[in-house]
Amino acid sequence: MKTARVLIIFLIVIMIFVPFAPAVAGWTNYNSWDHQLVDNNLSAISIDSDELIWLGTNGNGIESFDGDSSWVLYISSFPPGPISNNITDLAGDTDGNIWIATILGLSTRSHDGTWDEYNAEDSLLHVNIRRVVCDNDGYIWLGTFGAGMVRFDRDTTWTYYTTDSGLVDNRILSLLLDRDNYLWIGTYGGVSRFDRNLDWTNYTDSTSGLPGNVVYALAQDRAGRFWFGTDSGVTVFDGTGSWTSYNSDGSDIAPGAVLAITVDSAGNIWFGHGVSGSQAISVSKFDGISEWEVFNIRYGIEDNVSVVDAVTDSSGNIWFATDGDGFTRYIPDPVDAPDEETETLPSEYELAQNYPNPFNASTIIRYSLPERSKVNISIYNTLGQLITVLVDAYQPAGRHTVVWNGTDQNDNEVVSGMYLYSIRAGDFVDARKMILLK
């Protein structure tokens, strides 16, 4: 563990003196005219464990960028490369591999540089894949357009989930793995949530606060709330029953469908919009409470392009992929960045007192990890009986939060009383008391 701490400190020093990106706040646009980007018409953007930027195009393969000057192109006609040059989505797993969704199947580039591909010959029955995510248990989840969801165990087993299984619609538009490793699925017919007990919960405009059933983007913020990008703007769900919608008619969010959502290191939520007019505003930012800010052509994102994907890197920079003007990086102002305490890695494991306590509907549990660890956060009653498991996954070093909404592992509400919450991370074990009052 001492060696791991030394390595983390060394990496922090390297990031300070040899930064991943120029430490100058503002916007930088990357396109084929001024840089080595192969195609300005992008479909996806992702960042791997080595901080490489991966860019998927709509016909010219996949390209990696180190954030400085190194560009590497991979295309299907010159192996090794993806199974198709029409890339639809990208996702990195905890082992440093990149998974590439295409219209002809699935490709993966391993951390060691080797490539594999999966298509109909590998029992992948529906190859028009639109979305891909990697969960903490080692599974790869694929969202198809028309054939529902596919789960792949990285070996030979493919499991299919459709409307016959409980999925709200087979036409997948967006995917999210939340902090509990639950899968959220945005479709043309609403949103489905698939949990570890293999249970489905569906949200539509007739059964929830969704303003419409078409959900292009999904994200979870630092407070545990869920954000849904729709044709009419964005809707936030607190996970228990409260829904709030924001659109250009009633708030300061920019016009246009929300096609991409990312949360920065300061807790701001960023929204990428589809083109809505001749002077389209491409990006909105919300502090999660009341303050909105919009960004247009003056900030580096060209007019008449849609922001189709967005991601935040470990340094707090936000990257936006567009469908006609390449991609843009935004480096936040120092005043927008988290304070020094947030940026500094914890020096030791810690389980903090939950807040609020006592609580009614839900409470926030905070904990700190000085290094990447396998973490288990569980709730027990005073008899020592397990109520539910909130976290059971590997997580990076840093300060983390998880929300407990007062339910057991079957999503049944528990009674008022005292409960214990515990943490197991590495060799560290601790527990605290909390009180639920209804």
Side-chain angles (χ1 to χ4, degrees), residues 116-147:
D116 286 298
E117 60 184 43
Y118 308 90
N119 53 28
E121 297 177 358
D122 303 288
S123 299
L124 180 56
L125 300 180
H126 193 88
V127 296
N128 188 359
I129 304 168
R130 296 301 178 92
R131 293 291 179 261
V132 56
V133 294
C134 312
D135 72 15
N136 295 323
D137 297 322
Y139 291 105
I140 310 302
W141 292 86
L142 311 173
T144 73
F145 192 78

Side-chain angles (χ1 to χ4, degrees), residues 222-382:
R222 293 172 66 179
R225 300 174 298 180
F226 299 95
W227 295 83
F228 307 92
T230 71
D231 279 317
S232 59
V234 66
T235 296
V236 59
F237 174 48
D238 70 354
T240 60
S242 176
W243 297 78
T244 304
S245 292
Y246 302 93
N247 56 61
S248 56
D249 294 334
S251 68
D252 292 325
I253 190 173
V258 173
L259 306 181
I261 308 174
T262 188
V263 180
D264 69 20
S265 54
N268 300 303
I269 305 101
W270 294 78
F271 308 101
H273 297 272
V275 171
S276 62
S278 60
Q279 295 296 321
I281 297 173
S282 302
V283 173
S284 298
K285 183 182 81 170
F286 184 45
D287 68 355
I289 303 173
S290 62
E291 296 297 324
W292 288 89
E293 190 172 0
V294 296
F295 304 92
N296 56 24
I297 188 173
R298 294 174 297 170
Y299 297 92
I301 297 178
E302 293 293 340
D303 200 12
N304 288 321
V305 295
S306 298
V307 174
V308 296
D309 203 2
V311 65
T312 302
D313 67 31
S314 62
S315 299
N317 306 320
I318 304 100
W319 300 77
F320 303 95
T322 78
D323 65 356
D325 188 48
F327 64 104
T328 297
R329 176 184 60 196
Y330 174 68
I331 302 177
D333 244 298
V335 295
D336 296 330
D339 58 29
E340 183 178 350
E341 179 182 0
T342 304
E343 289 184 346
T344 303
L345 288 175
S347 60
E348 59 185 5
Y349 290 97
E350 181 185 10
L351 179 65
Q353 186 64 51
N354 65 300
Y355 177 83
N357 187 45
F359 67 98
N360 185 349
S362 63
T363 188
I364 297 173
I365 296 170
R366 298 167 295 165
Y367 55 99
S368 299
L369 308 175
E371 60 187 0
R372 186 175 185 269
S373 308
K374 177 67 180 297
V375 181
N376 180 282
I377 305 289
S378 297
I379 308 296
Y380 297 88
N381 62 22
T382 53

